[in-house]
């Protein structure tokens, strides 16, 4: 194709084709989100355990406590895998693996039970892991109450309480109350996965856009879509739109088809979800183009971007309390699109909030970040308009040459000249 001035549609199509065909970035735009949607969700399809192994610490050493442990050993849901002499030994066994929780029967448990004095069993769970802590506490509460109730009833009968009086006895099994600070919807798949996927999309598209623009910056002539985007705002939009559209479509795929397949609550409010997805796509695309423009020929964009994904999960404030972070880290978290996007998407897509309920502060915050990143990206790219590779492409366009193929990469001599290491001949 030969044209003196490529149209906006030419720039749009060229960038879109590069997104899906350039080996530097095609895996990010075409496959990464799809594969993530299956192999990340699959391990959490079963959110509740079939049974739970515990280690018991009997500090009471009475017939009732021994009976309780024996009945727990026979329970199909809660099984006493080990018995420990004290809590320190039980914690050592837990650290070695194989048990999910520690059950402590406190001193005077039988005495207080018989005398109708309020008492309690202590259930210790490993709180370092979100899933294990929730499963241990919630999974143990029901079965333990059933077993303990039966053991107490049998013990009281053996001690001569008549059947007609047993119902009037106020003895009850110890209550197990677990109130999570963050995961209030009782499920890793339904709670944490929607949070993490916002960060996954942000990471994948930042890396993909960075890789593509980095590849273009290394060419002996910048592709005409990039060279024109440095000089013309409409051409910048033409180059920008394919990135935005792909980000939006993949976000819709995750919130729609993927979450529907895996049974995750999503699209509870369709207009609000679409609005959040659009503003989120705008923010991450703008941030990615800005970062790519700043990095320019830096070869390690993926190595820089990908390791930030896990910190971004915790910086969102939904899995780890913000008050545990120092102020500089909190300020940095506000600069990440994922921080307001997670809150907005959880409310709109998973909880059914309306657009008016997520506009302030979440969508407003996200839109402000997008506008700042977008403006910065435009200004940074304009600084490169007089690069030798950009001027060479513009000269070709003025001569009526519009090449759809990418030039070869810079030679060491050309790179040295650009960096000022090799003097002009």
């Amino acid at each position: 194709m030969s044209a003196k001035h490529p149209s906006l549609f030419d720039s749009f199509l060229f960038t879109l084709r590069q997104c899906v065909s350039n080996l530097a970035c095609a895996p990010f735009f075409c496959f990464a989100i799809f594969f993530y949607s299956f192999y990340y969700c699959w391990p959490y399809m079963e959110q509740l355990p079939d049974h739970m192994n515990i280690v018991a610490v009997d500090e009471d050493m009475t017939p009732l406590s021994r009976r309780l442990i024996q009945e727990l050993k026979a329970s199909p849901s809660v099984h006493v895998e080990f018995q420990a002499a004290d809590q320190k030994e039980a914690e050592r066994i837990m650290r070695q693996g194989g048990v999910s929780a520690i059950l402590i029967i406190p001193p005077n448990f039988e005495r207080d039970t018989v005398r109708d004095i309020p008492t309690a069993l202590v259930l210790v769970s490993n709180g370092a892991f979100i899933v294990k802590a929730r499963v241990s506490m919630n999974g143990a509460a029901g079965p333990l109450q059933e077993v303990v109730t039966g053991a107490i009833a049998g013990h009281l009968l053996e001690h001569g309480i008549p059947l007609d009086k047993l119902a009037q006895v106020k003895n009850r099994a110890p209550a197990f109350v677990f109130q999570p600070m963050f995961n209030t919807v009782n499920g890793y798949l339904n709670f944490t996965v929607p949070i993490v996927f916002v960060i996954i999309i942000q990471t994948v598209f930042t890396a993909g856009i960075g890789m593509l623009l980095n590849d273009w910056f290394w060419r002996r002539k910048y592709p005409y879509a990039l060279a024109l985007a440095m000089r013309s705002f409409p051409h910048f939009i033409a180059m920008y739109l394919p990135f935005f559209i792909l980000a939006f479509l993949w976000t819709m795929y995750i919130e729609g088809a993927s979450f529907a397949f895996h049974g995750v609550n999503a699209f509870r409010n369709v207009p609000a979800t679409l609005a959040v997805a659009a503003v989120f796509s705008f923010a991450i695309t703008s941030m990615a183009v800005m970062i790519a423009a700043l990095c320019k020929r830096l070869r390690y964009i993926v190595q820089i971007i990908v390791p930030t994904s896990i910190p971004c999960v915790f910086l969102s404030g939904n899995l780890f309390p913000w008050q545990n972070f120092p102020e500089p880290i909190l300020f940095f978290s506000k600069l990440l699109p994922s921080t307001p996007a997670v809150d907005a998407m959880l409310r709109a897509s998973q909880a059914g909030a309306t657009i008016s309920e997520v506009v302030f502060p979440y969508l407003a915050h996200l839109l402000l970040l997008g506008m700042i990143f977008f403006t910065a990206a435009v200004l940074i790219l304009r600084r490169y308009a007089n690069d030798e590779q950009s001027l060479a492409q513009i000269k070709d366009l003025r001569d009526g040459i519009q090449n759809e193929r990418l030039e070869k990469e810079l030679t060491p001599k050309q790179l040295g000249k650009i960096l000022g290491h090799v003097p002009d001949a």
Side-chain angles (χ1 to χ4, degrees):
M1 181 174 63
S2 178
K4 197 166 186 178
H5 298 290
S7 67
L8 297 175
F9 191 61
D10 289 335
S11 293
F12 173 87
L13 286 182
F14 175 82
T15 304
L16 184 60
R17 283 195 294 267
Q18 284 284 300
C19 287
V20 299
S21 64
N22 191 313
L23 294 181
C25 63
F28 295 97
F29 291 118
C30 299
F31 312 117
I33 301 296
F34 179 78
F35 287 125
Y36 262 119
S37 70
F38 284 97
Y39 73 73
Y40 183 71
C41 291
W42 175 75
Y44 308 108
M45 291 293 287
E46 298 295 335
Q47 299 191 78
L48 295 177
D50 294 326
H51 65 279
M52 183 178 66
N53 295 328
I54 63 176
V55 54
V57 178
D58 187 358
E59 296 180 348
D60 193 29
M61 301 298 292
T62 59
L64 176 57
S65 64
R66 288 191 290 269
R67 178 171 184 158
L68 175 59
I69 291 174
Q70 289 301 316
E71 294 195 17
L72 285 172
K73 286 181 178 181
S75 170
S77 301
V78 181
H79 180 63
V80 177
E81 189 74 19
F82 303 98
Q83 284 187 247
D86 52 38
Q87 185 172 342
K88 288 185 178 180
E89 182 183 354
E91 290 174 353
R92 180 181 58 80
I93 294 172
M94 175 182 277
R95 282 194 295 269
Q96 293 174 350
V99 297
S100 303
I102 301 171
L103 176 68
I104 302 174
I105 304 175
N108 304 319
F109 179 72
E110 181 183 75
R111 184 199 67 184
D112 293 342
T113 299
V114 173
R115 296 180 181 179
D116 195 19
I117 298 174
T119 186
L121 297 176
V122 179
L123 189 65
V124 180
S125 175
N126 188 344
F129 302 98
I130 298 169
V131 180
K132 286 186 177 181
R134 180 192 55 75
V135 167
S136 297
M137 300 298 283
N138 285 349
L144 273 175
Q145 286 179 333
E146 294 178 5
V147 173
V148 174
T149 299
I152 290 175
H155 184 75
L156 293 176
L157 281 172
E158 290 176 359
H159 281 71
I161 294 182
L163 286 173
D164 58 345
K165 298 289 187 181
L166 189 61
Q168 301 176 10
V169 177
K170 295 181 180 179
N171 293 287
R172 296 182 180 88
F176 293 88
V177 180
F178 176 51
Q179 179 61 52
M181 182 177 295
F182 299 105
N183 188 353
T184 59
V185 299
N186 191 29
Y188 187 91
L189 181 66
N190 285 311
F191 179 79
T192 308
V193 166
I195 294 172
V196 174
F197 260 114
V198 172
I199 284 86
I200 288 175
I201 293 171
Q202 174 178 279
T203 302
V204 167
F205 272 87
T206 304
I209 294 171
M211 287 293 291
L212 179 59
L213 294 185
N214 178 260
D215 184 61
W216 286 357
F217 277 120
W218 273 91
R219 300 297 172 174
R220 297 180 187 179
K221 293 179 184 177
Y222 293 159
Y224 66 82
L226 178 60
L228 291 173
M230 293 174 178
R231 292 167 168 78
S232 164
F233 182 74
H235 276 280
F236 176 86
I237 296 296
M239 183 192 74
Y240 177 95
L241 276 179
F243 303 142
F244 169 82
I245 291 171
L246 288 171
F248 179 78
L249 291 178
W250 276 118
T251 303
M252 288 295 93
Y253 162 75
I254 291 298
E255 294 294 329
S258 176
F259 282 176
F261 176 82
H262 292 99
V264 179
N265 294 330
F267 267 104
R268 295 305 182 191
N269 188 300
V270 175
T273 303
L274 292 173
V276 174
V279 180
F280 173 59
S281 300
F282 167 66
I284 62 172
T285 301
S286 301
M287 182 183 72
V289 174
M290 182 194 70
I291 292 174
L294 284 171
C295 292
K296 201 176 182 181
R297 296 188 185 91
L298 184 63
R299 289 288 198 183
Y300 306 105
I301 291 179
V302 172
Q303 291 89 332
I304 293 172
I305 297 299
V306 172
T308 65
S309 58
I310 293 178
C312 285
V313 172
F314 294 98
L315 288 175
S316 71
N318 290 274
L319 300 180
F320 195 77
W322 268 341
Q323 57 264 34
N324 289 355
F325 289 112
E327 287 297 327
I329 300 297
L330 285 178
F331 176 77
F332 175 74
S333 72
K334 303 295 185 182
L335 300 178
L336 299 170
S338 55
T339 300
V342 165
D343 287 319
M345 191 63 79
L346 286 178
R347 284 161 173 77
S349 185
Q350 277 71 51
T354 63
I355 293 178
S356 61
E357 291 172 328
V358 296
V359 166
F360 296 104
Y362 309 112
L363 280 188
H365 182 183
L366 199 56
L367 184 61
L368 177 62
L369 289 178
M371 293 173 64
I372 292 172
F373 295 147
F374 183 89
T375 304
V378 172
L379 295 177
I380 294 170
L381 283 180
R382 287 193 175 181
R383 293 173 52 196
Y384 308 141
N386 293 323
D387 285 1
E388 185 176 323
Q389 301 97 306
S390 177
L391 294 174
Q393 179 61 252
I394 296 301
K395 182 179 183 301
D396 280 355
L397 293 177
R398 288 172 179 168
D399 292 340
I401 303 172
Q402 182 175 314
N403 189 3
E404 294 283 342
R405 300 181 62 182
L406 297 179
E407 293 283 335
K408 293 182 180 180
E409 287 198 357
L410 294 164
T411 64
K413 183 176 181 180
Q414 289 173 318
L415 181 60
K417 183 179 177 181
I418 291 171
L419 299 177
H421 299 160
V422 177
D424 293 335

